Amino acid sequence: MHSDPFELNYSKVKAYLDCPYLYKYIYLDRNYPPHTPFSSLGISVHRALDRYHSGGGGLDELMLCYDENWHHHGFESPQQTLEFYRQGRRILENYRRAEQAGSRAEIIFTEKEFEFEFERWRVRGTIDRVDRLSPAGGCEIIDYKMGFETKTREELEKDLQLSIYALALKKTFNMDVRIISWLLLLKGEKVSIPYDPSREAAILSVLRDTGEKILALDLSRKGKCSSCPIRKLCAVSEAK
Ligand code: SF4
């Protein structure tokens, strides 16, 4: 994995904020955290939805996209693989049912890549989905979450990822972001809030500060080892 020190993306910034050693493990030592059943299911469902929205069709096409994009790493047994595979099918069936029941949104982008520059940083990423808001105007950013954990509006108000995406749409495509949302696929629920542009200076400040610490390779703190995905692999783990 090539890591340009002046390139920032949400995953890299989050890794550093979670723990500088996690950032080092992934982006400097070029390791991948091990896949888990949950991460593989998330990858499979994300890929299936991207392919489905690119190609269109009905439930059969959606399930075909799922089968073709099934990510089979990180499972402990064939039984566990099957359980998660079936759970993914149920999630996508619910997604399709909700899509048919609701008013059809006009999707502007799916898996949209972006890149913008500020100061000496280049910020890149990929947005799950952007819908046009009609008749209100503007657009809504939607990030797919599996929804294994409860998510609240208060958490969304503080979310860094969607704030970066909103900035990117504004800077790169001159789009008017009005709403940011998490679509919790497991429950078929959406958590939405109006987008608050007054946070933009604070978001850029987080990117700048984190970028500077990454450049300086500031390893002066550790994250929470007990819940870290690499706690058994990390050389300085306190929870092996
Ligand atoms: S195990 Fe602890 S020190 Fe190592 S990367 Fe994870 S949080 Fe950081």
Coordinates of all heavy atoms in Angstrom, one line a residue, residues 89-133:
R89 N -28.0 -11.5 2.6 CA -29.1 -11.7 1.7 C -30.4 -11.0 2.3 O -31.1 -10.3 1.6 CB -29.4 -13.1 1.4 CG -28.4 -13.7 0.4 CD -28.9 -15.1 -0.1 NE -30.0 -15.1 -0.9 CZ -30.0 -15.1 -2.3 NH1 -28.8 -15.2 -2.9 NH2 -31.1 -15.1 -3.0
R90 N -30.6 -11.3 3.6 CA -31.8 -10.7 4.2 C -31.7 -9.1 4.2 O -32.6 -8.4 4.0 CB -31.9 -11.2 5.7 CG -32.5 -12.6 5.8 CD -32.9 -12.9 7.2 NE -31.8 -12.9 8.1 CZ -31.0 -14.0 8.3 NH1 -31.3 -15.1 7.7 NH2 -30.0 -14.0 9.2
I91 N -30.5 -8.6 4.5 CA -30.2 -7.2 4.5 C -30.6 -6.6 3.1 O -31.3 -5.6 3.0 CB -28.8 -6.9 4.9 CG1 -28.6 -7.1 6.4 CG2 -28.4 -5.4 4.5 CD1 -27.1 -7.1 6.8
L92 N -30.1 -7.2 2.1 CA -30.3 -6.7 0.7 C -31.8 -6.9 0.3 O -32.3 -6.0 -0.4 CB -29.4 -7.4 -0.3 CG -27.9 -7.0 0.0 CD1 -27.0 -7.8 -0.9 CD2 -27.7 -5.5 -0.3
E93 N -32.4 -8.0 0.7 CA -33.9 -8.1 0.5 C -34.7 -7.0 1.1 O -35.6 -6.4 0.5 CB -34.4 -9.4 1.0 CG -34.0 -10.6 0.1 CD -34.1 -12.0 0.8 OE1 -34.6 -12.0 1.9 OE2 -33.7 -13.0 0.1
N94 N -34.3 -6.7 2.4 CA -35.0 -5.5 3.1 C -34.7 -4.2 2.4 O -35.6 -3.4 2.2 CB -34.5 -5.4 4.5 CG -35.0 -6.6 5.4 OD1 -35.9 -7.3 5.0 ND2 -34.4 -6.8 6.5
Y95 N -33.5 -4.1 1.9 CA -33.1 -2.8 1.2 C -34.0 -2.6 0.0 O -34.5 -1.6 -0.3 CB -31.6 -2.9 0.8 CG -31.1 -1.7 0.1 CD1 -30.6 -0.6 0.7 CD2 -31.2 -1.6 -1.3 CE1 -30.2 0.6 0.1 CE2 -30.8 -0.5 -2.0 CZ -30.3 0.6 -1.3 OH -29.8 1.7 -2.0
R96 N -34.1 -3.7 -0.8 CA -34.8 -3.7 -2.0 C -36.3 -3.4 -1.7 O -37.0 -2.6 -2.4 CB -34.6 -5.0 -2.8 CG -35.5 -5.2 -4.0 CD -35.1 -4.4 -5.2 NE -36.1 -4.6 -6.2 CZ -36.4 -3.8 -7.2 NH1 -35.7 -2.7 -7.2 NH2 -37.3 -4.0 -8.1
R97 N -36.9 -4.1 -0.7 CA -38.3 -3.9 -0.3 C -38.5 -2.4 0.1 O -39.5 -1.8 -0.4 CB -38.6 -4.8 0.9 CG -40.1 -5.2 0.9 CD -40.4 -6.2 1.9 NE -39.7 -7.5 1.7 CZ -38.9 -8.2 2.5 NH1 -38.6 -7.7 3.7 NH2 -38.3 -9.3 2.1
A98 N -37.6 -1.8 0.9 CA -37.8 -0.5 1.3 C -37.7 0.5 0.1 O -38.4 1.5 0.0 CB -36.7 -0.1 2.3
E99 N -36.8 0.1 -0.8 CA -36.6 1.0 -2.0 C -37.9 1.0 -2.8 O -38.3 2.0 -3.3 CB -35.5 0.4 -2.8 CG -35.0 1.2 -4.0 CD -34.0 0.5 -4.8 OE1 -34.2 -0.7 -5.1 OE2 -33.0 1.2 -5.2
Q100 N -38.6 -0.1 -2.9 CA -39.8 -0.2 -3.7 C -41.0 0.5 -3.0 O -41.8 1.1 -3.6 CB -40.2 -1.7 -3.9 CG -39.3 -2.3 -5.0 CD -39.8 -3.7 -5.3 OE1 -39.9 -4.6 -4.4 NE2 -40.1 -3.9 -6.6
A101 N -41.0 0.4 -1.6 CA -42.1 0.9 -0.9 C -42.0 2.5 -0.8 O -43.0 3.1 -0.9 CB -42.1 0.4 0.5
G102 N -40.8 3.0 -0.7 CA -40.6 4.5 -0.6 C -40.7 5.2 -1.9 O -40.8 4.5 -3.0
S103 N -40.7 6.5 -1.8 CA -40.6 7.3 -3.1 C -39.2 7.1 -3.6 O -38.3 7.2 -2.9 CB -41.0 8.7 -2.8 OG -40.1 9.2 -1.9
R104 N -39.1 6.8 -4.9 CA -37.8 6.6 -5.5 C -37.0 7.9 -5.5 O -37.3 8.8 -6.1 CB -37.9 6.1 -6.9 CG -38.2 4.6 -6.9 CD -37.6 4.0 -8.1 NE -37.6 2.5 -8.0 CZ -36.6 1.8 -8.4 NH1 -35.6 2.3 -9.1 NH2 -36.7 0.5 -8.2
A105 N -35.8 7.8 -4.8 CA -34.9 9.0 -4.8 C -34.2 9.0 -6.1 O -34.0 8.0 -6.8 CB -33.9 8.8 -3.7
E106 N -33.8 10.2 -6.5 CA -33.0 10.3 -7.7 C -31.5 10.2 -7.3 O -31.0 11.1 -6.6 CB -33.3 11.6 -8.4 CG -32.5 11.7 -9.7 CD -32.5 13.1 -10.4 OE1 -33.4 13.9 -10.0 OE2 -31.7 13.3 -11.2
I107 N -30.9 9.2 -7.6 CA -29.5 9.0 -7.2 C -28.6 9.7 -8.2 O -28.7 9.5 -9.4 CB -29.2 7.5 -7.2 CG1 -30.1 6.8 -6.1 CG2 -27.7 7.3 -6.8 CD1 -29.9 5.3 -6.1
I108 N -27.8 10.6 -7.6 CA -26.8 11.3 -8.5 C -25.5 10.6 -8.7 O -25.0 10.4 -9.8 CB -26.5 12.7 -7.9 CG1 -27.8 13.5 -7.6 CG2 -25.7 13.5 -8.9 CD1 -27.6 14.8 -6.9
F109 N -25.0 10.1 -7.5 CA -23.7 9.3 -7.6 C -23.8 8.1 -6.7 O -24.5 8.1 -5.7 CB -22.6 10.2 -7.0 CG -22.3 11.4 -7.6 CD1 -22.1 12.6 -6.9 CD2 -22.0 11.5 -9.0 CE1 -21.8 13.8 -7.5 CE2 -21.7 12.7 -9.6 CZ -21.6 13.8 -8.9
T110 N -23.1 7.0 -7.0 CA -22.8 6.0 -6.1 C -21.3 5.7 -6.2 O -20.7 5.9 -7.3 CB -23.6 4.7 -6.4 OG1 -23.2 4.2 -7.7 CG2 -25.1 4.8 -6.3
E111 N -20.7 5.4 -5.1 CA -19.3 5.1 -5.0 C -18.5 6.2 -5.7 O -17.7 6.0 -6.6 CB -18.9 3.8 -5.6 CG -19.4 2.6 -4.7 CD -18.6 2.5 -3.4 OE1 -17.4 2.5 -3.4 OE2 -19.2 2.3 -2.3
K112 N -18.8 7.5 -5.4 CA -18.2 8.6 -6.1 C -16.9 9.0 -5.5 O -16.8 9.3 -4.3 CB -19.2 9.8 -6.0 CG -18.7 11.0 -6.8 CD -18.6 10.7 -8.3 CE -18.2 11.9 -9.1 NZ -18.0 11.5 -10.5
E113 N -15.8 8.9 -6.3 CA -14.5 9.3 -5.8 C -14.4 10.8 -5.9 O -14.9 11.4 -6.8 CB -13.4 8.6 -6.7 CG -13.4 7.1 -6.5 CD -12.3 6.5 -7.3 OE1 -11.5 7.2 -8.0 OE2 -12.2 5.2 -7.2
F114 N -13.6 11.4 -4.9 CA -13.3 12.8 -5.0 C -11.9 13.1 -4.6 O -11.2 12.2 -4.0 CB -14.3 13.5 -4.0 CG -14.1 13.2 -2.6 CD1 -13.1 13.8 -1.8 CD2 -14.9 12.3 -1.9 CE1 -12.9 13.5 -0.5 CE2 -14.7 12.0 -0.6 CZ -13.7 12.6 0.1
E115 N -11.5 14.2 -4.9 CA -10.1 14.7 -4.4 C -10.2 16.2 -4.4 O -10.6 16.8 -5.3 CB -9.1 14.2 -5.4 CG -7.7 14.7 -5.1 CD -6.7 14.1 -6.1 OE1 -6.8 12.9 -6.5 OE2 -5.7 14.8 -6.4
F116 N -9.8 16.8 -3.3 CA -9.6 18.2 -3.2 C -8.4 18.6 -2.5 O -7.9 17.8 -1.6 CB -10.9 18.9 -2.6 CG -11.1 18.7 -1.2 CD1 -10.6 19.6 -0.2 CD2 -11.9 17.7 -0.7 CE1 -10.8 19.4 1.1 CE2 -12.2 17.5 0.6 CZ -11.6 18.3 1.6
E117 N -7.9 19.8 -2.7 CA -6.7 20.3 -2.1 C -7.0 21.4 -1.1 O -7.8 22.2 -1.4 CB -5.7 20.7 -3.1 CG -5.2 19.6 -4.0 CD -4.1 20.0 -4.9 OE1 -3.6 21.1 -4.9 OE2 -3.7 19.1 -5.7
F118 N -6.3 21.4 0.0 CA -6.3 22.6 0.8 C -4.9 22.6 1.5 O -4.4 21.6 1.9 CB -7.5 22.6 1.8 CG -7.2 21.9 3.2 CD1 -6.9 22.7 4.3 CD2 -7.2 20.6 3.3 CE1 -6.6 22.1 5.5 CE2 -7.0 20.0 4.5 CZ -6.7 20.7 5.6
E119 N -4.4 23.9 1.5 CA -3.0 24.1 2.0 C -2.1 23.1 1.4 O -2.1 23.0 0.2 CB -3.0 24.1 3.5 CG -3.9 25.2 4.1 CD -4.2 25.0 5.6 OE1 -3.7 24.1 6.3 OE2 -5.1 25.8 6.1
R120 N -1.3 22.3 2.1 CA -0.4 21.4 1.5 C -1.0 20.0 1.4 O -0.3 19.0 1.1 CB 0.9 21.4 2.2 CG 0.9 21.1 3.6 CD 2.4 21.1 4.1 NE 2.5 21.0 5.5 CZ 3.7 20.7 6.1 NH1 4.7 20.4 5.3 NH2 3.8 20.6 7.4
W121 N -2.3 19.8 1.7 CA -2.9 18.5 1.8 C -3.7 18.2 0.6 O -4.4 19.1 0.0 CB -3.7 18.4 3.1 CG -3.0 18.9 4.3 CD1 -3.2 20.1 4.9 CD2 -1.9 18.3 4.9 NE1 -2.3 20.2 5.9 CE2 -1.5 19.1 6.0 CE3 -1.2 17.1 4.8 CZ2 -0.5 18.9 6.8 CZ3 -0.1 16.8 5.6 CH2 0.2 17.7 6.6
R122 N -3.8 17.0 0.2 CA -4.7 16.5 -0.8 C -5.6 15.5 -0.1 O -5.2 14.5 0.5 CB -3.9 15.8 -1.9 CG -4.7 15.7 -3.2 CD -3.9 15.3 -4.4 NE -3.4 14.0 -4.3 CZ -2.2 13.6 -3.9 NH1 -1.3 14.5 -3.7 NH2 -1.8 12.3 -3.8
V123 N -6.9 15.8 -0.2 CA -7.9 15.0 0.5 C -8.7 14.1 -0.5 O -9.2 14.7 -1.4 CB -8.9 15.8 1.4 CG1 -9.8 14.9 2.2 CG2 -8.1 16.8 2.3
R124 N -8.7 12.8 -0.3 CA -9.4 11.9 -1.2 C -10.3 11.0 -0.5 O -10.3 10.8 0.7 CB -8.3 11.1 -1.9 CG -7.3 11.9 -2.7 CD -6.4 11.0 -3.4 NE -7.0 10.3 -4.5 CZ -6.5 9.3 -5.2 NH1 -5.3 8.9 -5.0 NH2 -7.2 8.7 -6.2
G125 N -11.3 10.5 -1.3 CA -12.2 9.5 -0.6 C -13.2 9.0 -1.6 O -13.2 9.4 -2.8
T126 N -14.1 8.2 -1.2 CA -15.2 7.7 -2.0 C -16.5 7.7 -1.2 O -16.6 7.2 -0.1 CB -14.9 6.2 -2.4 OG1 -13.6 6.1 -3.0 CG2 -15.9 5.7 -3.4
I127 N -17.5 8.4 -1.8 CA -18.8 8.5 -1.1 C -19.8 7.4 -1.6 O -19.9 7.2 -2.8 CB -19.4 9.9 -1.4 CG1 -18.4 11.0 -1.1 CG2 -20.8 10.1 -0.7 CD1 -18.8 12.4 -1.5
D128 N -20.4 6.8 -0.6 CA -21.3 5.7 -1.0 C -22.4 6.1 -1.9 O -22.7 5.5 -3.0 CB -22.0 5.1 0.3 CG -21.1 4.2 1.1 OD1 -20.1 3.7 0.5 OD2 -21.4 3.9 2.3
R129 N -23.1 7.2 -1.6 CA -24.3 7.6 -2.4 C -24.7 9.0 -2.2 O -24.6 9.5 -1.1 CB -25.5 6.7 -2.0 CG -26.7 6.9 -2.8 CD -27.7 5.8 -2.5 NE -29.1 6.3 -2.4 CZ -30.1 5.5 -2.1 NH1 -30.0 4.3 -1.8 NH2 -31.3 6.1 -2.1
V130 N -25.1 9.7 -3.3 CA -25.6 11.1 -3.2 C -26.9 11.1 -3.9 O -27.0 10.7 -5.1 CB -24.6 12.1 -3.8 CG1 -25.2 13.5 -3.7 CG2 -23.2 12.0 -3.2
D131 N -28.0 11.6 -3.2 CA -29.3 11.7 -3.8 C -29.7 13.2 -4.0 O -29.3 14.0 -3.2 CB -30.4 11.1 -2.9 CG -30.4 9.6 -2.9 OD1 -29.5 9.0 -3.6 OD2 -31.2 9.0 -2.2
R132 N -30.5 13.4 -5.1 CA -31.0 14.8 -5.3 C -32.2 15.0 -4.4 O -33.0 14.0 -4.3 CB -31.3 15.0 -6.8 CG -31.6 16.4 -7.1 CD -32.0 16.6 -8.6 NE -31.1 15.9 -9.5 CZ -29.9 16.3 -9.9 NH1 -29.4 17.4 -9.4 NH2 -29.2 15.6 -10.8
L133 N -32.3 16.1 -3.7 CA -33.5 16.4 -2.9 C -34.5 17.1 -3.8 O -34.2 18.2 -4.2 CB -33.1 17.2 -1.7 CG -32.3 16.4 -0.7 CD1 -31.8 17.4 0.4 CD2 -33.1 15.3 0.0

